[in-house]
Each structure stands twice: as C-alpha cells, then as structure tokens.
Amino acid sequence: MSIRKREGNRPDRRFADEEFLKVEDRKALCARLRYVESANHKLRPGDYGFHPSHNPRPSKSPCDALRAVLLAEASSLMQQGIMLGMVSQFGDGSVPKYIWAVDEANEVYEANTRPELETDYHGYRLGDDERDMRAYILKEWKRRCR
C-alpha cells in the first residue's frame, strides 16, 4: 500500500492572526485542551506502552520517525503552540482544529482534534511530503518567538 500524499492548499489548515486570541484566551485553551497519544502515529508503539494498533494506518505521519516524543514533551509543545497563537481559526465556543509547534531541533509538529472528543488532540511530525507547510509554520513560529 502506498502512502497517500496530503492535500496541498487547505484554507482550514492556516493559523489565525496573531491578535486572534488574547493571552487570557490562550491560557484558557491550555487549561481546556489536552494532548492524547495515539498508537496510529507511532513507529514503535511499545516504546510508549501501546500494543501495536489493531488498525494501523500507513498513511499517517509518525511522530517518532526521528526520535521518541513522549507525552510530557508533546503536551508541552502543544501548549507552547497555543500560547504563541499557532492555532487555526475557530468560532465562538469551539476549539481550533489544528495547533502547531516546533521543537528545539526545528522539527514541526501538528496536532488536531480527535473526532470522538474535540478537546482531545493527537499529533504528528510534518514529514518530507509537507515541505511547504513545514516552511510556512517554521517561518511564523520564528517570527512569533522573537
């Protein structure tokens, strides 16, 4: 089975303006949203205490392709992304579909909501098939971290 290439230009996959959320709103999102690991995004699920997925999805980008990213780090990255406003646009009373973050090695990660509970997120590293999106997120991350 071949890995399907991700869609290129999706308007919902763009971050909101930096002024979209006030600091208080960002803190409230950090308290409300949580990162939940998924075996579907692990090359070595046993390293995380998971049994191999009963329904592995080869089209999913593994978050641990370069190194293990454990729950504490993934949660911290997601919160950093929220606090920098690296979230997709969303309406009143809802949550962002996407949250982006960059680790110390300049690897870009994307978290999105889980269909069964919109306040739970799972994440993955943006791979080589996402060069344009990685560059877009990395450039904005560096600008917002000044």
Side-chain angles (χ1 to χ4, degrees):
M1 173 183 260
S2 65
I3 295 179
R4 132 184 105 79
K5 186 175 178 176
R6 290 189 186 209
E7 296 177 28
N9 186 14
R10 295 192 29 217
D12 68 330
R13 206 164 167 230
R14 297 286 184 254
F15 41 77
D17 289 334
E18 199 168 359
E19 296 79 29
F20 176 65
L21 294 172
K22 296 177 184 168
V23 173
E24 308 83 53
D25 297 328
R26 294 174 188 187
K27 288 179 181 177
L29 272 181
C30 282
R32 185 172 162 216
L33 307 180
R34 71 182 185 135
Y35 182 85
V36 179
E37 292 180 309
S38 168
N40 287 335
H41 293 282
K42 307 289 187 252
L43 291 178
R44 294 167 293 282
D47 291 353
Y48 302 86
F50 290 120
H51 294 287
S53 178
H54 66 284
N55 186 19
R57 296 164 68 183
S59 65
K60 295 297 179 184
S61 299
C63 65
D64 61 346
L66 299 178
R67 64 180 182 84
V69 180
L70 300 180
L71 181 59
E73 180 183 4
S75 295
S76 175
L77 284 169
M78 188 175 105
Q79 295 216 348
Q80 288 174 42
I82 293 168
M83 289 309 296
L84 286 174
M86 297 292 292
V87 300
S88 58
Q89 190 83 30
F90 59 97
D92 291 339
S94 65
V95 298
K97 181 172 182 177
Y98 298 102
I99 301 168
W100 295 278
V102 178
D103 71 8
E104 291 180 2
N106 285 326
E107 290 298 329
V108 177
Y109 293 86
E110 178 177 85
N112 69 12
T113 58
R114 298 170 61 93
E116 60 273 13
L117 184 60
E118 73 171 4
T119 57
D120 284 0
Y121 287 73
H122 66 281
Y124 36 86
R125 186 180 68 84
L126 295 184
D128 290 336
D129 62 335
E130 296 264 40
R131 283 189 185 103
D132 292 342
M133 188 66 178
R134 275 193 338 213
Y136 169 71
I137 297 300
L138 189 57
K139 180 180 177 184
E140 186 64 14
W141 181 269
K142 287 179 178 179
R143 190 187 70 73
R144 292 185 187 198
C145 283
R146 291 186 269 170

mmCIF file of all heavy atoms in Angstrom, residues 119-140:
data_model
loop_
_atom_site.group_PDB
_atom_site.id
_atom_site.type_symbol
_atom_site.label_atom_id
_atom_site.label_comp_id
_atom_site.label_asym_id
_atom_site.label_seq_id
_atom_site.Cartn_x
_atom_site.Cartn_y
_atom_site.Cartn_z
ATOM 1 N N THR A 119 -11.924 18.238 22.452
ATOM 2 C CA THR A 119 -10.919 18.878 23.304
ATOM 3 C C THR A 119 -9.669 18.016 23.467
ATOM 4 O O THR A 119 -8.708 18.432 24.100
ATOM 5 C CB THR A 119 -11.495 19.227 24.685
ATOM 6 O OG1 THR A 119 -12.003 18.041 25.288
ATOM 7 C CG2 THR A 119 -12.585 20.277 24.574
ATOM 8 N N ASP A 120 -9.678 16.816 22.899
ATOM 9 C CA ASP A 120 -8.509 15.936 22.897
ATOM 10 C C ASP A 120 -7.812 16.041 21.544
ATOM 11 O O ASP A 120 -8.470 16.031 20.507
ATOM 12 C CB ASP A 120 -8.910 14.475 23.111
ATOM 13 C CG ASP A 120 -9.253 14.164 24.552
ATOM 14 O OD1 ASP A 120 -9.190 15.074 25.395
ATOM 15 O OD2 ASP A 120 -9.596 13.009 24.834
ATOM 16 N N TYR A 121 -6.495 16.138 21.576
ATOM 17 C CA TYR A 121 -5.705 16.281 20.357
ATOM 18 C C TYR A 121 -4.689 15.159 20.249
ATOM 19 O O TYR A 121 -4.210 14.650 21.266
ATOM 20 C CB TYR A 121 -4.953 17.621 20.358
ATOM 21 C CG TYR A 121 -5.850 18.797 20.111
ATOM 22 C CD1 TYR A 121 -6.730 19.238 21.088
ATOM 23 C CD2 TYR A 121 -5.840 19.457 18.894
ATOM 24 C CE1 TYR A 121 -7.569 20.315 20.854
ATOM 25 C CE2 TYR A 121 -6.676 20.535 18.650
ATOM 26 C CZ TYR A 121 -7.542 20.957 19.633
ATOM 27 O OH TYR A 121 -8.383 22.014 19.400
ATOM 28 N N HIS A 122 -4.375 14.772 19.041
ATOM 29 C CA HIS A 122 -3.255 13.867 18.775
ATOM 30 C C HIS A 122 -2.359 14.587 17.771
ATOM 31 O O HIS A 122 -2.796 15.490 17.066
ATOM 32 C CB HIS A 122 -3.728 12.514 18.243
ATOM 33 C CG HIS A 122 -4.371 12.586 16.902
ATOM 34 N ND1 HIS A 122 -5.676 12.997 16.717
ATOM 35 C CD2 HIS A 122 -3.880 12.348 15.677
ATOM 36 C CE1 HIS A 122 -5.960 12.984 15.432
ATOM 37 N NE2 HIS A 122 -4.889 12.588 14.766
ATOM 38 N N GLY A 123 -1.088 14.218 17.750
ATOM 39 C CA GLY A 123 -0.170 14.972 16.916
ATOM 40 C C GLY A 123 0.797 14.101 16.158
ATOM 41 O O GLY A 123 0.890 12.895 16.373
ATOM 42 N N TYR A 124 1.537 14.743 15.278
ATOM 43 C CA TYR A 124 2.471 14.061 14.395
ATOM 44 C C TYR A 124 3.443 15.091 13.846
ATOM 45 O O TYR A 124 3.152 16.281 13.771
ATOM 46 C CB TYR A 124 1.729 13.377 13.237
ATOM 47 C CG TYR A 124 0.550 14.187 12.766
ATOM 48 C CD1 TYR A 124 0.706 15.191 11.823
ATOM 49 C CD2 TYR A 124 -0.712 13.983 13.326
ATOM 50 C CE1 TYR A 124 -0.367 15.956 11.429
ATOM 51 C CE2 TYR A 124 -1.788 14.748 12.935
ATOM 52 C CZ TYR A 124 -1.612 15.740 11.984
ATOM 53 O OH TYR A 124 -2.676 16.510 11.602
ATOM 54 N N ARG A 125 4.609 14.623 13.464
ATOM 55 C CA ARG A 125 5.618 15.472 12.840
ATOM 56 C C ARG A 125 5.247 15.644 11.371
ATOM 57 O O ARG A 125 4.827 14.706 10.711
ATOM 58 C CB ARG A 125 6.997 14.809 12.961
ATOM 59 C CG ARG A 125 8.145 15.674 12.459
ATOM 60 C CD ARG A 125 9.472 14.949 12.609
ATOM 61 N NE ARG A 125 9.567 13.811 11.706
ATOM 62 C CZ ARG A 125 9.957 13.893 10.446
ATOM 63 N NH1 ARG A 125 10.278 15.049 9.914
ATOM 64 N NH2 ARG A 125 10.025 12.818 9.700
ATOM 65 N N LEU A 126 5.401 16.847 10.862
ATOM 66 C CA LEU A 126 5.173 17.075 9.438
ATOM 67 C C LEU A 126 6.408 16.593 8.694
ATOM 68 O O LEU A 126 7.516 17.070 8.937
ATOM 69 C CB LEU A 126 4.897 18.550 9.147
ATOM 70 C CG LEU A 126 3.611 19.109 9.765
ATOM 71 C CD1 LEU A 126 3.403 20.556 9.332
ATOM 72 C CD2 LEU A 126 2.410 18.267 9.395
ATOM 73 N N GLY A 127 6.217 15.645 7.804
ATOM 74 C CA GLY A 127 7.319 14.982 7.120
ATOM 75 C C GLY A 127 7.717 15.635 5.809
ATOM 76 O O GLY A 127 7.293 16.747 5.468
ATOM 77 N N ASP A 128 8.512 14.900 5.039
ATOM 78 C CA ASP A 128 9.040 15.407 3.771
ATOM 79 C C ASP A 128 7.950 15.676 2.741
ATOM 80 O O ASP A 128 8.144 16.473 1.825
ATOM 81 C CB ASP A 128 10.058 14.427 3.192
ATOM 82 C CG ASP A 128 11.330 14.392 4.018
ATOM 83 O OD1 ASP A 128 11.616 15.372 4.722
ATOM 84 O OD2 ASP A 128 12.034 13.372 3.948
ATOM 85 N N ASP A 129 6.810 15.012 2.880
ATOM 86 C CA ASP A 129 5.720 15.246 1.939
ATOM 87 C C ASP A 129 4.984 16.558 2.239
ATOM 88 O O ASP A 129 4.053 16.913 1.541
ATOM 89 C CB ASP A 129 4.736 14.070 1.949
ATOM 90 C CG ASP A 129 4.061 13.870 3.292
ATOM 91 O OD1 ASP A 129 4.635 14.287 4.330
ATOM 92 O OD2 ASP A 129 2.956 13.289 3.326
ATOM 93 N N GLU A 130 5.434 17.273 3.270
ATOM 94 C CA GLU A 130 4.788 18.512 3.713
ATOM 95 C C GLU A 130 5.786 19.672 3.757
ATOM 96 O O GLU A 130 5.708 20.510 4.637
ATOM 97 C CB GLU A 130 4.221 18.294 5.116
ATOM 98 C CG GLU A 130 3.142 17.257 5.180
ATOM 99 C CD GLU A 130 1.785 17.886 5.119
ATOM 100 O OE1 GLU A 130 1.602 18.843 4.343
ATOM 101 O OE2 GLU A 130 0.921 17.429 5.843
ATOM 102 N N ARG A 131 6.719 19.723 2.826
ATOM 103 C CA ARG A 131 7.780 20.750 2.872
ATOM 104 C C ARG A 131 7.225 22.171 2.930
ATOM 105 O O ARG A 131 7.702 22.995 3.701
ATOM 106 C CB ARG A 131 8.699 20.602 1.668
ATOM 107 C CG ARG A 131 9.655 19.465 1.798
ATOM 108 C CD ARG A 131 10.698 19.478 0.674
ATOM 109 N NE ARG A 131 11.528 18.300 0.782
ATOM 110 C CZ ARG A 131 11.414 17.233 0.015
ATOM 111 N NH1 ARG A 131 10.519 17.208 -0.942
ATOM 112 N NH2 ARG A 131 12.205 16.198 0.190
ATOM 113 N N ASP A 132 6.239 22.468 2.102
ATOM 114 C CA ASP A 132 5.689 23.825 2.071
ATOM 115 C C ASP A 132 5.012 24.179 3.389
ATOM 116 O O ASP A 132 5.190 25.286 3.904
ATOM 117 C CB ASP A 132 4.702 23.986 0.915
ATOM 118 C CG ASP A 132 5.373 23.934 -0.445
ATOM 119 O OD1 ASP A 132 6.606 24.105 -0.520
ATOM 120 O OD2 ASP A 132 4.662 23.711 -1.438
ATOM 121 N N MET A 133 4.252 23.246 3.945
ATOM 122 C CA MET A 133 3.562 23.506 5.212
ATOM 123 C C MET A 133 4.578 23.657 6.341
ATOM 124 O O MET A 133 4.440 24.542 7.193
ATOM 125 C CB MET A 133 2.570 22.375 5.514
ATOM 126 C CG MET A 133 1.681 22.637 6.695
ATOM 127 S SD MET A 133 0.580 24.025 6.359
ATOM 128 C CE MET A 133 -0.363 24.070 7.857
ATOM 129 N N ARG A 134 5.595 22.815 6.353
ATOM 130 C CA ARG A 134 6.649 22.926 7.375
ATOM 131 C C ARG A 134 7.306 24.297 7.313
ATOM 132 O O ARG A 134 7.500 24.953 8.336
ATOM 133 C CB ARG A 134 7.720 21.848 7.162
ATOM 134 C CG ARG A 134 7.392 20.554 7.788
ATOM 135 C CD ARG A 134 8.546 19.595 7.867
ATOM 136 N NE ARG A 134 9.630 19.828 6.918
ATOM 137 C CZ ARG A 134 10.361 18.873 6.380
ATOM 138 N NH1 ARG A 134 10.138 17.617 6.677
ATOM 139 N NH2 ARG A 134 11.324 19.154 5.545
ATOM 140 N N ALA A 135 7.657 24.744 6.117
ATOM 141 C CA ALA A 135 8.309 26.047 5.963
ATOM 142 C C ALA A 135 7.382 27.177 6.418
ATOM 143 O O ALA A 135 7.831 28.133 7.074
ATOM 144 C CB ALA A 135 8.730 26.255 4.509
ATOM 145 N N TYR A 136 6.114 27.084 6.087
ATOM 146 C CA TYR A 136 5.109 28.080 6.470
ATOM 147 C C TYR A 136 5.015 28.184 7.994
ATOM 148 O O TYR A 136 5.069 29.278 8.558
ATOM 149 C CB TYR A 136 3.775 27.655 5.843
ATOM 150 C CG TYR A 136 2.542 28.375 6.283
ATOM 151 C CD1 TYR A 136 2.305 29.694 5.914
ATOM 152 C CD2 TYR A 136 1.562 27.714 7.030
ATOM 153 C CE1 TYR A 136 1.139 30.345 6.293
ATOM 154 C CE2 TYR A 136 0.397 28.349 7.400
ATOM 155 C CZ TYR A 136 0.191 29.662 7.036
ATOM 156 O OH TYR A 136 -0.953 30.293 7.413
ATOM 157 N N ILE A 137 4.922 27.058 8.669
ATOM 158 C CA ILE A 137 4.800 27.043 10.129
ATOM 159 C C ILE A 137 6.111 27.492 10.778
ATOM 160 O O ILE A 137 6.108 28.305 11.703
ATOM 161 C CB ILE A 137 4.398 25.639 10.635
ATOM 162 C CG1 ILE A 137 3.013 25.257 10.099
ATOM 163 C CG2 ILE A 137 4.443 25.566 12.151
ATOM 164 C CD1 ILE A 137 1.887 26.175 10.486
ATOM 165 N N LEU A 138 7.235 26.985 10.325
ATOM 166 C CA LEU A 138 8.531 27.325 10.910
ATOM 167 C C LEU A 138 8.826 28.828 10.807
ATOM 168 O O LEU A 138 9.285 29.450 11.771
ATOM 169 C CB LEU A 138 9.631 26.508 10.240
ATOM 170 C CG LEU A 138 11.010 26.584 10.881
ATOM 171 C CD1 LEU A 138 10.980 26.177 12.341
ATOM 172 C CD2 LEU A 138 11.977 25.691 10.116
ATOM 173 N N LYS A 139 8.529 29.401 9.673
ATOM 174 C CA LYS A 139 8.752 30.841 9.487
ATOM 175 C C LYS A 139 7.921 31.649 10.477
ATOM 176 O O LYS A 139 8.423 32.579 11.120
ATOM 177 C CB LYS A 139 8.415 31.235 8.051
ATOM 178 C CG LYS A 139 8.613 32.702 7.760
ATOM 179 C CD LYS A 139 8.253 33.013 6.319
ATOM 180 C CE LYS A 139 8.384 34.510 6.038
ATOM 181 N NZ LYS A 139 7.947 34.833 4.680
ATOM 182 N N GLU A 140 6.656 31.296 10.617
ATOM 183 C CA GLU A 140 5.783 32.035 11.534
ATOM 184 C C GLU A 140 6.170 31.788 12.988
ATOM 185 O O GLU A 140 6.131 32.696 13.819
ATOM 186 C CB GLU A 140 4.321 31.670 11.294
ATOM 187 C CG GLU A 140 3.342 32.496 12.100
ATOM 188 C CD GLU A 140 3.331 33.984 11.755
ATOM 189 O OE1 GLU A 140 3.876 34.394 10.708
ATOM 190 O OE2 GLU A 140 2.742 34.765 12.541
#
